[in-house]
Structure formats: structure tokens, C-alpha cells
Amino acid sequence: MVLLNVKGLTKNYGNRFHQQQVLKGLDFAIEKGEFVSIMGPSGSGKTTLLNVLSSIDYITSGTVEINGHELSKMKNKELAAFRKSEVGFIFQDYSVLNTLTVKENIMLPLSIKKLSKEEMTQSFNEITEALGIYDIRDKYPSEISGGQQQRTAAARAFVHKPAIIFADEPTGALDSKSAQDLLFRLEEMNKQFNATIVMVTHDPVAASYSNRVIMLKDGNIHSELYQGDDNNKEFYRNIIYMQATLGGVVNDI
């Protein structure tokens, strides 16, 4: 089942006298349950793409359809409601509220849904146990590590069971051990809950945890890589080679 369908997507910035075309007619689809990474050199348009896919920014032309909703046909109030129910976000900077406990932060998206207390508790327990933060539920962000804060942010994104999760460089502010732990848990969440995840990253290690990588260059889709039967290490090696051809940062294998 196609969950996200993109056709002829363009995004321009500027005015009618001077415009810069950042996305140049993209076409691709993402199936329900896929874990897809978006990569590319600096300036390739990957962050812009994530912003328009998640309805944070408007498209210039083309269509973006998520779970049967065509974003360009929705009014602002409809988009706001759509984001609350159908979309989860994980940002680089955690974005947790320091005045709330871990549990209170995670439960925020459920506060606007018409769920029973039992349903909310069950969802909270499932997600926090999967992310390994159930035991710190009563702590405040200042009392836990950066990795635990980012897993709290991830739990908040997953807890209301949205159609799709958008992650913008989720490991960017983490040390290598915390980053690996988060990526492993995202990979497990993708499998356990059949969660659809779209992640922008510059890091081939992070991308190797996904099922597919969409490589952008100068606002176009340059290529796509599928993990297939490869393990993470083999997939990482393939990503490195492709990244090198795009002029990205070459890492040691």
C-alpha cells in the first residue's frame, strides 16, 4: 500500500523577478511500513523536501498525498488537524519541554485524541518499553541524558500512532553510542509497529538502518539504493560509494 505519493513536486523560493528552484519535479512513492532515508550533498534540497512532505512548508507545484490526503488541497486549519493526527516529528534538538516529566512530554499528542485512559496507558507503555525509557517516565529532561531526551522525543512522535514519522537529522546532536542506540530502536519500531519513517540525514551510518535511501543532487533524485538482503554494514558500504559519486563526505569503510 502506497502511503506517501509524490508527483511532479517543485519548490521555488524568491519572487517573480528572481526565483531559485530548489526541488525540480520529483516523483517517488513510499509504501506503508518503509523506513526511508533522504540524503544528498549540502544544498541538494533534502531539508526542503522534508519540510514540504511534512506540510511545514508549501509546495510550488505538483502533488504530495499522504494516507489519502492531498496536502495542496487542504486549508490551514485542515493541515493543522492533519499534522496532529497523521504525522509525528523527531527533530535534531530534542524539542522536549523542560517543565514536564518524560511521561507528560510523551502524552502530549494523546491529550487531543478521544481515547480512554486505558488506551492511552497501553500506547504509552508499548512505546516507552520499546524505546527503553519506561523506567525514567517520572524524571524531568534535566535529569536524563541527551540520548534519553531524544528517545523521549521519538516516543512522543510514535505514541499517537501517526500514519508517518518525519525525522530531521535525529542523531545530529548525539554521541556515537547514543546515536547507535536510537537508530537501532527506530529500526525495531519500524519492524514491530510497521511504522513508516522518513529520515533526512547526512550520515551514512544512520542511513544504513533504513530500508531504502533516496539520493538527491541539485534538487533532483539522482539515485535510489535498496537494502534488500544486505546487512547494515554492506548497505553502509553501498551508501558510501554512492555518496562519494555525489561529492558528499567520504567516510572510512
Side-chain angles (χ1 to χ4, degrees):
M1 172 189 167
V2 173
L3 182 71
L4 186 154
N5 200 18
V6 176
K7 293 182 178 179
L9 174 62
T10 67
K11 176 61 181 178
N12 301 341
Y13 289 107
N15 54 43
R16 63 193 180 96
F17 300 107
H18 181 268
Q19 288 203 356
Q20 178 186 7
Q21 190 173 44
V22 180
L23 301 176
K24 304 173 182 178
L26 306 187
D27 293 287
F28 64 93
I30 293 176
E31 298 279 335
K32 179 175 174 56
E34 274 198 281
F35 184 175
V36 178
S37 290
I38 298 171
M39 300 188 74
S42 178
S44 61
K46 54 187 184 292
T47 298
T48 298
L49 177 58
L50 190 75
N51 288 342
V52 297
L53 293 182
S54 61
S55 78
I56 291 175
D57 200 357
Y58 296 100
I59 67 174
T60 300
S61 64
T63 60
V64 175
E65 186 175 301
I66 298 177
N67 206 22
H69 301 274
E70 189 174 329
L71 302 189
S72 61
K73 292 184 177 180
M74 300 169 71
K75 300 184 185 300
N76 287 339
K77 187 176 287 188
E78 293 174 309
L79 280 172
F82 169 80
R83 282 192 290 267
K84 289 176 182 176
S85 64
E86 301 283 348
V87 178
F89 295 97
I90 309 173
F91 300 103
Q92 180 176 333
D93 60 355
Y94 315 149
S95 298
V96 293
L97 300 176
N98 292 324
T99 56
L100 300 181
T101 65
V102 166
K103 183 175 183 178
E104 289 167 342
N105 267 286
I106 294 168
M107 295 291 275
L108 280 173
L110 296 181
S111 64
I112 60 171
K113 301 196 75 171
K114 295 179 180 179
L115 299 175
S116 67
K117 185 176 180 180
E118 290 74 20
E119 288 173 316
M120 289 192 290
T121 299
Q122 181 181 351
S123 183
F124 172 82
N125 290 347
E126 284 179 351
I127 298 300
T128 53
E129 286 170 5
L131 284 164
I133 53 174
Y134 179 80
D135 291 341
I136 61 167
R137 60 192 181 280
D138 295 322
K139 292 185 178 294
Y140 287 88
S142 61
E143 300 174 315
I144 61 178
S145 69
Q148 290 170 325
Q149 288 186 57
Q150 189 63 309
R151 279 184 276 150
T152 298
R156 184 181 58 199
F158 279 98
V159 74
H160 61 300
K161 296 181 172 61
I164 192 165
I165 303 285
F166 291 107
D168 187 5
E169 300 280 8
T171 61
L174 302 178
D175 61 73
S176 58
K177 183 179 179 181
S178 296
Q180 186 176 22
D181 183 59
L182 175 67
L183 291 165
F184 171 76
R185 291 180 188 278
L186 288 179
E187 184 180 43
E188 290 301 303
M189 300 282 280
N190 167 247
K191 295 173 182 175
Q192 181 179 345
F193 299 104
N194 198 33
T196 308
I197 304 171
V198 178
M199 175 176 70
V200 161
T201 182
H202 69 280
D203 182 3
V205 174
S208 70
Y209 283 81
S210 59
N211 315 128
R212 173 163 57 124
V213 176
I214 297 174
M215 292 279 191
L216 299 184
K217 183 176 183 180
D218 299 328
N220 294 294
I221 294 178
H222 174 275
S223 54
E224 295 187 49
L225 296 174
Y226 291 82
Q227 183 177 24
D229 295 327
D230 291 344
N231 59 35
N232 285 27
K233 187 174 182 180
E234 291 166 337
F235 194 35
Y236 165 77
R237 188 176 291 116
N238 292 334
I239 294 168
I240 285 290
Y241 289 143
M242 183 56 68
Q243 195 178 38
T245 69
L246 294 176
V249 177
V250 180
N251 293 264
D252 294 331
I253 298 174

